[in-house]
Amino acid sequence: MGDFFGSPLYNFQMKIFFLLVLLLPSLHAATTEEIAEKASSSREWHTLLHYKRNIYFQIESQADGAGFFYAENGKYDPKAEMLASVNAFQDETRAVDIRHPQCAFPARFNYLKKIFNLNPKTVECKDYKWWRDNLPFHSVTIIFASYYANNPASVFGHSFMRINSSDKKNISDYGVDFSALTDTDHGVVFAVRGILGGYVGQYNLKPYYMKMNEYIENENRDLWEYDLNLNAEQIDRLLGHLWELQKNTYFDYYFFRENCSYQLLTLLEVASPEWHLSDEFDLETIPVDSVKAITRTKGAIKEVHYRPAFKKTVTQRLESLTDLERTQMKSLVSGKVEPSEVSSAKVLEAAIAQLRYERFEEKKFTTEQEALLKKTLIQRAKVGGKVETPVEIVPQNKLRPDLSHDSQKYSFTYGNNSSFGRYGELTLRASLHDLLDPDAGFPQNSQIEMSRWKFRSTGTDNLYLEELKYAEAFSLFPITRDEFKWSWRVLGKSYRVNDGSCDRCLSHNIKSSFGLAKALPLPGINVYSLINMSAEAGRRLYRGYRIAPGVSVGTVWTMADNFKFQYEFELNHDLNRNEFMRHNRLVHEASLSFSHALVHELRLTGRSWLAIKGQHPVEEAQASYSFYY
């Protein structure tokens, strides 16, 4: 026995024993403070709690509901919130209900249980279990609803999420979106509060077919579906976190940044923390840019699907008819011909599509129209046979929003003005698209611009503000033999006046227009004529203001996908001037643009202003080189 205590084996064992004794305190500490110190700065924890750097470069959770945090300062302290959450999950004195920590925060609980090797008493969360059991569990898709020019709230498009079942007809799928809870319909109040974060935003679930009908049929918007590459574990974590957000918190809604698209990105980052989707959106989040952030992420997208707006399918069917078939279809829809008298499946299907569109488009669908639709459906069933789906009028690759040019743009300009000579110009545009930008991914003949700043420097003046365009929306709807729609434009800006009314004085302008547009027989050429009403205010204007009705005549010629031309002539009549020759103003402007690979653009512009009072017009020519980003 004495030989053993002095043996090399005994000495080795004692060394191991003393080493373990020395390590025990550190092992104990690693289960609390040290683990929290490291894990609380992890990407996974920050996505679960929505921690970001604020404008003061400090960590702050973007979740604004107090019920989302267990630590008193958990909104600002990731470590304190982690330790408080661990204690809450292990507290056996709490009542077992929907508010129990394990039931309220299933995704957070699963994460901390793994990190800290927790083994608390298991709680039966009946409400969460019922909710999860009744949600489809198969895959996740991001949906982009395309731009809808006739609804100002939808001019930037909209994105939301679909949770997919194995049902191929989408009957049991659910749509997930983030929206503001509003309490007013007043446009100005809505805009101001939306910009300043005056609304509460929450996540919502509803059957997907309701969302699909809302966009495709009621609002005539295309839907683009991007199937995500997420596995079962990631989807389970996403749904668990969605429960946490719905039941325990809210977010201040900011129209430009923390909006529907931004919050969907942060939700996806919980499912897949290695996807850095929301990091690039510091100032604004435009829905189409959020989709691009996903498609640019390696391995994020499996497939892309396209669901055209119902109106588009109606148009395609009409375009596929001969003149004789079109006449027969119109007679059927107007009630001049009974459905039983029509034997063409192609005409019947076109009539059914037209009647259904009228039912969604019109506020009142009469009983006679409803009866006609039913009789037409019965006749179509009797005729039988199959009608081929019409070919897309515009190829899908020219419609995909994620293949469009980037929303922001900056330009460098060199020009010459007949009044004050040469100048240089820097233009910054926050978003989104003008008539001369490439159309790919955008509605044709449309312009949606927000916050365009134009700074100019001449030989005698340093850099100064030449123009600030707050917003402009311009939609041309060429009238056809099947549809009549007004074209319109609204504009708000501050700019330097160059038309002889005052010498480069600053004026603040609001303008609205409506009129008609028509596509010419020549490919790619649309002409338009608008009636305008303009109101301006400026200290150096005659009487400090001017109100001017007027007319505009112009053309947009798309010579190729990346080569466009626009010309516009405008005549205004100033109502606040008495002198006959002083109250009429003429404006000419012509621009030619050439873009390359949706990244660069060269634009040549010439314009002239003239107040008809005998003096020479002010003329200007410039060349711009732009970068989309």
Side-chain angles (χ1 to χ4, degrees), residues 193-220:
R193 291 181 62 181
I195 292 171
L196 299 179
Y199 291 115
V200 167
Q202 290 184 328
Y203 287 88
N204 308 288
L205 277 84
K206 63 172 62 175
Y208 177 65
Y209 70 86
M210 295 174 62
K211 299 288 292 182
M212 186 169 63
N213 290 345
E214 175 185 345
Y215 289 118
I216 289 180
E217 297 177 345
N218 296 354
E219 296 188 0
N220 289 316

Side-chain angles (χ1 to χ4, degrees), residues 419-424 456-464 504:
S419 177
F420 54 82
R422 299 174 184 176
Y423 62 87
R456 180 174 288 188
S457 177
T458 66
T460 57
D461 294 313
N462 294 324
L463 197 67
Y464 62 91
R504 295 164 63 194

